[in-house]
Amino acid sequence: MAEAVAEGAKDAGADVSLLEASAFNKDKAGNYQSIAFGCPAMGDEELEDTIFDPMFTDVEGALSDKKIVLFGSYDWGDGEWMRNWKSRCSDSGVKLFADSVLANNTPDDEALDKCKALGKAIV
């Protein structure tokens, strides 16, 4: 999904960096105008809690002036983790720039097309 978002942004003319959560922090967030965050649902429909959630907690305060979008996949449930993540963003002053993209299990062609469109939207 991340590669599809990056492809869409590149197609729209953006210079793109594709980073893993462990390589991103609030200092790096300052280098970007737009950021697409992707995370799968884990456990009881939560953000991955060992690497992703600590990173997101670190950067939340540095995102209020950025174009932010969210994407991810889930295996069971109904995508509640994404609703919770969007509410968390709203509560902390992060404004989402476009509708989030969800995929149930492995993303199909439709989900990947939506990811590409998401990438184009934040350019």
Side-chain angles (χ1 to χ4, degrees), residues 94-114:
V94 176
K95 294 179 182 83
L96 299 178
F97 192 74
D99 289 336
S100 303
V101 176
L102 296 155
N104 185 262
N105 289 309
T106 303
D108 58 15
D109 289 340
E110 180 182 355
L112 293 176
D113 287 344
K114 287 180 180 180

PDB file of all heavy atoms in Angstrom, residues 94-114:
ATOM      1  N   VAL A  94      -4.367  17.293  14.356  1.00  0.00           N
ATOM      2  CA  VAL A  94      -3.890  16.858  13.037  1.00  0.00           C
ATOM      3  C   VAL A  94      -5.079  16.870  12.085  1.00  0.00           C
ATOM      4  O   VAL A  94      -6.097  16.230  12.341  1.00  0.00           O
ATOM      5  CB  VAL A  94      -3.272  15.442  13.099  1.00  0.00           C
ATOM      6  CG1 VAL A  94      -2.882  14.968  11.720  1.00  0.00           C
ATOM      7  CG2 VAL A  94      -2.086  15.427  14.044  1.00  0.00           C
ATOM      8  N   LYS A  95      -4.948  17.619  10.991  1.00  0.00           N
ATOM      9  CA  LYS A  95      -6.025  17.697  10.009  1.00  0.00           C
ATOM     10  C   LYS A  95      -5.730  16.745   8.865  1.00  0.00           C
ATOM     11  O   LYS A  95      -4.689  16.839   8.211  1.00  0.00           O
ATOM     12  CB  LYS A  95      -6.150  19.130   9.498  1.00  0.00           C
ATOM     13  CG  LYS A  95      -6.589  20.090  10.578  1.00  0.00           C
ATOM     14  CD  LYS A  95      -6.684  21.510  10.054  1.00  0.00           C
ATOM     15  CE  LYS A  95      -7.078  22.446  11.146  1.00  0.00           C
ATOM     16  NZ  LYS A  95      -5.980  22.885  11.969  1.00  0.00           N
ATOM     17  N   LEU A  96      -6.636  15.806   8.649  1.00  0.00           N
ATOM     18  CA  LEU A  96      -6.467  14.851   7.561  1.00  0.00           C
ATOM     19  C   LEU A  96      -6.892  15.506   6.256  1.00  0.00           C
ATOM     20  O   LEU A  96      -7.938  16.131   6.169  1.00  0.00           O
ATOM     21  CB  LEU A  96      -7.262  13.584   7.838  1.00  0.00           C
ATOM     22  CG  LEU A  96      -6.835  12.847   9.112  1.00  0.00           C
ATOM     23  CD1 LEU A  96      -7.712  11.624   9.335  1.00  0.00           C
ATOM     24  CD2 LEU A  96      -5.368  12.457   9.067  1.00  0.00           C
ATOM     25  N   PHE A  97      -6.070  15.337   5.246  1.00  0.00           N
ATOM     26  CA  PHE A  97      -6.237  16.029   3.983  1.00  0.00           C
ATOM     27  C   PHE A  97      -7.170  15.317   3.015  1.00  0.00           C
ATOM     28  O   PHE A  97      -7.730  15.932   2.128  1.00  0.00           O
ATOM     29  CB  PHE A  97      -4.857  16.223   3.347  1.00  0.00           C
ATOM     30  CG  PHE A  97      -4.849  17.169   2.194  1.00  0.00           C
ATOM     31  CD1 PHE A  97      -4.966  18.533   2.395  1.00  0.00           C
ATOM     32  CD2 PHE A  97      -4.739  16.701   0.900  1.00  0.00           C
ATOM     33  CE1 PHE A  97      -4.962  19.418   1.334  1.00  0.00           C
ATOM     34  CE2 PHE A  97      -4.734  17.571  -0.177  1.00  0.00           C
ATOM     35  CZ  PHE A  97      -4.849  18.929   0.047  1.00  0.00           C
ATOM     36  N   ALA A  98      -7.318  14.006   3.179  1.00  0.00           N
ATOM     37  CA  ALA A  98      -8.166  13.218   2.271  1.00  0.00           C
ATOM     38  C   ALA A  98      -8.708  12.016   3.046  1.00  0.00           C
ATOM     39  O   ALA A  98      -8.228  11.695   4.126  1.00  0.00           O
ATOM     40  CB  ALA A  98      -7.361  12.754   1.058  1.00  0.00           C
ATOM     41  N   ASP A  99      -9.703  11.375   2.466  1.00  0.00           N
ATOM     42  CA  ASP A  99     -10.257  10.175   3.087  1.00  0.00           C
ATOM     43  C   ASP A  99      -9.190   9.092   3.192  1.00  0.00           C
ATOM     44  O   ASP A  99      -8.382   8.913   2.275  1.00  0.00           O
ATOM     45  CB  ASP A  99     -11.440   9.639   2.267  1.00  0.00           C
ATOM     46  CG  ASP A  99     -12.665  10.522   2.378  1.00  0.00           C
ATOM     47  OD1 ASP A  99     -12.793  11.258   3.383  1.00  0.00           O
ATOM     48  OD2 ASP A  99     -13.501  10.479   1.456  1.00  0.00           O
ATOM     49  N   SER A 100      -9.211   8.381   4.292  1.00  0.00           N
ATOM     50  CA  SER A 100      -8.268   7.288   4.512  1.00  0.00           C
ATOM     51  C   SER A 100      -8.599   6.110   3.610  1.00  0.00           C
ATOM     52  O   SER A 100      -9.748   5.942   3.182  1.00  0.00           O
ATOM     53  CB  SER A 100      -8.327   6.844   5.973  1.00  0.00           C
ATOM     54  OG  SER A 100      -8.051   7.941   6.814  1.00  0.00           O
ATOM     55  N   VAL A 101      -7.598   5.288   3.348  1.00  0.00           N
ATOM     56  CA  VAL A 101      -7.787   4.092   2.533  1.00  0.00           C
ATOM     57  C   VAL A 101      -7.618   2.868   3.422  1.00  0.00           C
ATOM     58  O   VAL A 101      -6.622   2.747   4.131  1.00  0.00           O
ATOM     59  CB  VAL A 101      -6.789   4.036   1.356  1.00  0.00           C
ATOM     60  CG1 VAL A 101      -6.942   2.736   0.594  1.00  0.00           C
ATOM     61  CG2 VAL A 101      -6.988   5.223   0.432  1.00  0.00           C
ATOM     62  N   LEU A 102      -8.602   1.984   3.370  1.00  0.00           N
ATOM     63  CA  LEU A 102      -8.590   0.733   4.129  1.00  0.00           C
ATOM     64  C   LEU A 102      -8.606  -0.445   3.176  1.00  0.00           C
ATOM     65  O   LEU A 102      -9.264  -0.393   2.136  1.00  0.00           O
ATOM     66  CB  LEU A 102      -9.853   0.617   4.992  1.00  0.00           C
ATOM     67  CG  LEU A 102     -10.033   1.635   6.080  1.00  0.00           C
ATOM     68  CD1 LEU A 102     -11.499   1.785   6.404  1.00  0.00           C
ATOM     69  CD2 LEU A 102      -9.287   1.200   7.297  1.00  0.00           C
ATOM     70  N   ALA A 103      -7.919  -1.492   3.556  1.00  0.00           N
ATOM     71  CA  ALA A 103      -7.990  -2.741   2.801  1.00  0.00           C
ATOM     72  C   ALA A 103      -8.221  -3.876   3.785  1.00  0.00           C
ATOM     73  O   ALA A 103      -7.594  -3.928   4.844  1.00  0.00           O
ATOM     74  CB  ALA A 103      -6.697  -2.980   2.026  1.00  0.00           C
ATOM     75  N   ASN A 104      -9.128  -4.753   3.441  1.00  0.00           N
ATOM     76  CA  ASN A 104      -9.344  -5.941   4.248  1.00  0.00           C
ATOM     77  C   ASN A 104      -8.391  -7.011   3.747  1.00  0.00           C
ATOM     78  O   ASN A 104      -8.467  -7.420   2.591  1.00  0.00           O
ATOM     79  CB  ASN A 104     -10.802  -6.401   4.137  1.00  0.00           C
ATOM     80  CG  ASN A 104     -11.085  -7.547   5.058  1.00  0.00           C
ATOM     81  OD1 ASN A 104     -11.074  -8.690   4.633  1.00  0.00           O
ATOM     82  ND2 ASN A 104     -11.315  -7.254   6.313  1.00  0.00           N
ATOM     83  N   ASN A 105      -7.468  -7.420   4.619  1.00  0.00           N
ATOM     84  CA  ASN A 105      -6.409  -8.370   4.289  1.00  0.00           C
ATOM     85  C   ASN A 105      -5.491  -7.781   3.220  1.00  0.00           C
ATOM     86  O   ASN A 105      -5.245  -6.586   3.206  1.00  0.00           O
ATOM     87  CB  ASN A 105      -6.987  -9.725   3.871  1.00  0.00           C
ATOM     88  CG  ASN A 105      -7.599 -10.457   5.043  1.00  0.00           C
ATOM     89  OD1 ASN A 105      -6.955 -10.603   6.072  1.00  0.00           O
ATOM     90  ND2 ASN A 105      -8.829 -10.914   4.899  1.00  0.00           N
ATOM     91  N   THR A 106      -5.026  -8.594   2.315  1.00  0.00           N
ATOM     92  CA  THR A 106      -4.132  -8.127   1.257  1.00  0.00           C
ATOM     93  C   THR A 106      -4.889  -7.171   0.346  1.00  0.00           C
ATOM     94  O   THR A 106      -5.983  -7.492  -0.114  1.00  0.00           O
ATOM     95  CB  THR A 106      -3.606  -9.323   0.439  1.00  0.00           C
ATOM     96  OG1 THR A 106      -2.952 -10.225   1.335  1.00  0.00           O
ATOM     97  CG2 THR A 106      -2.628  -8.864  -0.626  1.00  0.00           C
ATOM     98  N   PRO A 107      -4.321  -5.992   0.091  1.00  0.00           N
ATOM     99  CA  PRO A 107      -5.035  -5.026  -0.741  1.00  0.00           C
ATOM    100  C   PRO A 107      -5.267  -5.541  -2.161  1.00  0.00           C
ATOM    101  O   PRO A 107      -4.359  -6.087  -2.779  1.00  0.00           O
ATOM    102  CB  PRO A 107      -4.128  -3.802  -0.755  1.00  0.00           C
ATOM    103  CG  PRO A 107      -2.871  -4.182  -0.082  1.00  0.00           C
ATOM    104  CD  PRO A 107      -3.041  -5.506   0.546  1.00  0.00           C
ATOM    105  N   ASP A 108      -6.492  -5.377  -2.634  1.00  0.00           N
ATOM    106  CA  ASP A 108      -6.812  -5.764  -4.008  1.00  0.00           C
ATOM    107  C   ASP A 108      -6.510  -4.585  -4.934  1.00  0.00           C
ATOM    108  O   ASP A 108      -6.039  -3.524  -4.494  1.00  0.00           O
ATOM    109  CB  ASP A 108      -8.267  -6.225  -4.124  1.00  0.00           C
ATOM    110  CG  ASP A 108      -9.273  -5.169  -3.686  1.00  0.00           C
ATOM    111  OD1 ASP A 108      -8.910  -3.976  -3.551  1.00  0.00           O
ATOM    112  OD2 ASP A 108     -10.448  -5.526  -3.487  1.00  0.00           O
ATOM    113  N   ASP A 109      -6.784  -4.762  -6.215  1.00  0.00           N
ATOM    114  CA  ASP A 109      -6.487  -3.713  -7.198  1.00  0.00           C
ATOM    115  C   ASP A 109      -7.232  -2.420  -6.888  1.00  0.00           C
ATOM    116  O   ASP A 109      -6.685  -1.326  -7.056  1.00  0.00           O
ATOM    117  CB  ASP A 109      -6.832  -4.184  -8.619  1.00  0.00           C
ATOM    118  CG  ASP A 109      -5.870  -5.239  -9.123  1.00  0.00           C
ATOM    119  OD1 ASP A 109      -4.750  -5.356  -8.580  1.00  0.00           O
ATOM    120  OD2 ASP A 109      -6.234  -5.961 -10.075  1.00  0.00           O
ATOM    121  N   GLU A 110      -8.471  -2.535  -6.417  1.00  0.00           N
ATOM    122  CA  GLU A 110      -9.248  -1.342  -6.080  1.00  0.00           C
ATOM    123  C   GLU A 110      -8.589  -0.565  -4.945  1.00  0.00           C
ATOM    124  O   GLU A 110      -8.465   0.666  -5.000  1.00  0.00           O
ATOM    125  CB  GLU A 110     -10.678  -1.717  -5.692  1.00  0.00           C
ATOM    126  CG  GLU A 110     -11.536  -0.534  -5.330  1.00  0.00           C
ATOM    127  CD  GLU A 110     -12.948  -0.914  -4.892  1.00  0.00           C
ATOM    128  OE1 GLU A 110     -13.317  -2.100  -4.950  1.00  0.00           O
ATOM    129  OE2 GLU A 110     -13.668   0.010  -4.486  1.00  0.00           O
ATOM    130  N   ALA A 111      -8.140  -1.264  -3.907  1.00  0.00           N
ATOM    131  CA  ALA A 111      -7.476  -0.594  -2.786  1.00  0.00           C
ATOM    132  C   ALA A 111      -6.165   0.042  -3.225  1.00  0.00           C
ATOM    133  O   ALA A 111      -5.833   1.158  -2.809  1.00  0.00           O
ATOM    134  CB  ALA A 111      -7.232  -1.590  -1.646  1.00  0.00           C
ATOM    135  N   LEU A 112      -5.422  -0.644  -4.088  1.00  0.00           N
ATOM    136  CA  LEU A 112      -4.162  -0.081  -4.576  1.00  0.00           C
ATOM    137  C   LEU A 112      -4.398   1.153  -5.445  1.00  0.00           C
ATOM    138  O   LEU A 112      -3.642   2.124  -5.361  1.00  0.00           O
ATOM    139  CB  LEU A 112      -3.358  -1.141  -5.320  1.00  0.00           C
ATOM    140  CG  LEU A 112      -2.851  -2.287  -4.441  1.00  0.00           C
ATOM    141  CD1 LEU A 112      -2.152  -3.341  -5.294  1.00  0.00           C
ATOM    142  CD2 LEU A 112      -1.938  -1.790  -3.334  1.00  0.00           C
ATOM    143  N   ASP A 113      -5.468   1.134  -6.236  1.00  0.00           N
ATOM    144  CA  ASP A 113      -5.823   2.325  -7.026  1.00  0.00           C
ATOM    145  C   ASP A 113      -6.182   3.492  -6.109  1.00  0.00           C
ATOM    146  O   ASP A 113      -5.809   4.645  -6.373  1.00  0.00           O
ATOM    147  CB  ASP A 113      -6.983   2.026  -7.978  1.00  0.00           C
ATOM    148  CG  ASP A 113      -6.568   1.157  -9.159  1.00  0.00           C
ATOM    149  OD1 ASP A 113      -5.349   1.030  -9.421  1.00  0.00           O
ATOM    150  OD2 ASP A 113      -7.478   0.601  -9.814  1.00  0.00           O
ATOM    151  N   LYS A 114      -6.879   3.203  -5.014  1.00  0.00           N
ATOM    152  CA  LYS A 114      -7.228   4.251  -4.053  1.00  0.00           C
ATOM    153  C   LYS A 114      -5.966   4.783  -3.374  1.00  0.00           C
ATOM    154  O   LYS A 114      -5.873   5.979  -3.087  1.00  0.00           O
ATOM    155  CB  LYS A 114      -8.210   3.718  -3.007  1.00  0.00           C
ATOM    156  CG  LYS A 114      -9.606   3.513  -3.550  1.00  0.00           C
ATOM    157  CD  LYS A 114     -10.543   2.991  -2.483  1.00  0.00           C
ATOM    158  CE  LYS A 114     -11.940   2.789  -3.026  1.00  0.00           C
ATOM    159  NZ  LYS A 114     -12.862   2.269  -1.990  1.00  0.00           N
TER     160      LYS A 114
END
